[in-house]
């Protein structure tokens, strides 16, 4: 259980760092089905920067 918890926390930290580092842009999120909702949430949580046209 401890190892699985550690892996889950590490995966979440890596995902947040990748999003924050610009691995996936808001425009790419919106291209996915239902991605507009996810892009808005991630922007609200400050994990992705706003889209270029929104700046």
């Amino acid at each position: 259980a401890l190892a699985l918890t550690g892996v889950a926390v590490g995966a979440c930290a890596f995902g947040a760092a990748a999003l924050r580092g610009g691995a996936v842009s808001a425009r790419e999120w919106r291209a996915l089905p239902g991605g507009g909702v996810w892009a808005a949430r991630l922007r609200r949580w400050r994990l992705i920067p706003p889209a270029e046209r929104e700046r």
Side-chain angles (χ1 to χ4, degrees), residues 19-42:
L19 288 172
R20 192 75 176 131
V24 181
S25 69
R27 178 180 291 180
E28 292 170 333
W29 274 105
R30 275 194 234 94
L32 298 171
V37 174
W38 278 105
R41 285 181 187 165
L42 292 171

